[in-house]
């Protein structure tokens, strides 16, 4: 379910980036405002459709006795020292990969002279790289690969990818820049899949939901 959630999220990012890039080919301030307004309206409509009558109210299903509260469940999860070390790694790795949000589009526009539509399309490259990483990681995990190792490979790919983006300014190579962006997405995908799988594997006594929530909270 988690994998399906992220795949659909990335598919949406990929398609929307292509659409935004097409809409912003002939850039103007008015066109940008129109695109933002349209995206906001569509977001409201899609969320209403998604939430409408999705879960019927059934009080009997929520009246089970709770054996322990959140604090006790969190303390039980923290007893394994590996959990906290993993969450620290998730926080640092996510911060590193998230820096592309404030780097890639201004870099492409100011250093390489890309248009607004072209820089918007970078999101599609990023999402495509992450989708490829999900496929590779899923295949490797299905064959018994160690999730921590997959996350480490993702971090290494990310370091190389950011280095590629950095040197493209000296050569003004759009192709190398696009390759670096795709590799950032690929490395981030490997890192995300590896760490979330590791978090789920460390959970015990029905704490998988709490482990997944902690992983998501640290990422945020």
């Amino acid at each position: 379910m988690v994998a399906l959630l992220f795949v659909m999220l990335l598919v949406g990012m990929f398609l929307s980036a292509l659409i935004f890039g097409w809409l912003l080919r002939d850039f103007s301030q008015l066109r940008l405002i129109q695109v933002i307004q349209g995206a906001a309206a569509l977001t409201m409509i899609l969320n209403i459709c998604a939430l409408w009558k999705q879960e019927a109210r059934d009080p009997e299903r929520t009246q089970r006795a709770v054996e322990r509260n959140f604090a006790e469940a969190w303390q039980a999860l923290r007893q394994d020292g590996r959990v906290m070390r993993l969450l620290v790694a998730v926080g640092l790795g996510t911060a590193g990969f998230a820096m592309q949000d404030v780097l890639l589009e201004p870099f492409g526009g100011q250093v390489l002279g890309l248009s607004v539509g072209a820089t918007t399309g970078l999101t599609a490259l990023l999402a495509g790289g992450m989708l490829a990483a999900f496929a590779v990681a899923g295949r490797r995990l299905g064959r018994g690969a160690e999730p921590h190792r997959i996350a480490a490979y993702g971090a290494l790919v990310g370091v190389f990818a950011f280095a590629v983006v950095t040197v493209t300014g000296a050569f003004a190579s759009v192709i190398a820049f696009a390759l670096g962006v795709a590799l950032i997405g690929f490395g981030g995908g490997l890192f995300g899949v590896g760490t979330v799988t590791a978090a789920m594997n460390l959970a015990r006594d029905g704490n998988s939901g709490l482990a997944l929530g902690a992983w998501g909270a640290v990422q945020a």
Side-chain angles (χ1 to χ4, degrees):
M1 180 57 66
V2 174
L4 179 61
L5 170 69
F6 277 94
V7 166
M8 295 310 298
L9 178 68
L10 290 173
V11 168
M13 289 175 59
F14 180 81
L15 295 177
S16 63
L18 294 179
I19 294 172
F20 287 168
W22 177 72
L23 291 174
L24 294 172
R25 286 181 305 171
D26 300 322
F27 178 77
S28 68
Q29 297 293 337
L30 179 60
R31 175 61 65 87
L32 179 62
I33 293 172
Q34 290 173 335
V35 170
I36 293 174
Q37 289 176 335
L42 184 60
T43 300
M44 290 292 295
I45 294 171
L46 291 177
N47 274 279
I48 291 172
C49 293
L51 293 173
W52 186 258
K53 295 185 177 180
Q54 278 293 305
E55 187 172 338
R57 295 181 180 180
D58 187 359
E60 294 182 359
R61 300 179 65 182
T62 60
Q63 290 179 352
R64 294 175 298 176
V66 179
E67 296 180 359
R68 58 185 179 182
N69 57 30
F70 174 81
E72 293 172 341
W74 175 245
Q75 187 62 35
L77 185 65
R78 289 185 56 188
Q79 287 179 356
D80 189 340
R82 296 176 298 171
V83 173
M84 298 308 298
R85 292 198 299 272
L86 176 63
L87 292 180
V88 170
V90 170
L92 294 174
T94 302
F97 280 108
M99 289 180 184
Q100 57 83 19
D101 283 339
V102 295
L103 166 69
L104 297 182
E105 292 192 23
F107 184 90
Q110 296 184 17
V111 178
L112 299 179
L114 298 177
S115 66
V116 174
T119 56
T120 303
L122 295 175
T123 303
L125 278 175
L126 196 74
M130 295 186 75
L131 282 171
F134 279 15
V136 172
R139 186 178 181 85
R140 296 292 299 168
L141 289 170
R143 294 180 175 181
E146 217 287 318
H148 295 88
R149 189 180 298 275
I150 290 178
Y153 286 149
L156 288 175
V157 171
V159 171
F160 175 75
F162 275 102
V164 170
V165 170
T166 302
V167 300
T168 55
F171 302 100
S173 174
V174 176
I175 295 178
F177 179 64
L179 175 64
V181 172
L183 286 176
I184 289 175
F186 187 79
L190 289 180
F191 182 80
V193 173
T195 53
V196 72
T197 304
M200 298 287 282
N201 289 344
L202 290 175
R204 296 291 184 273
D205 301 325
N207 279 334
S208 58
L210 182 61
L212 180 60
W215 175 85
V218 170
Q219 272 207 325

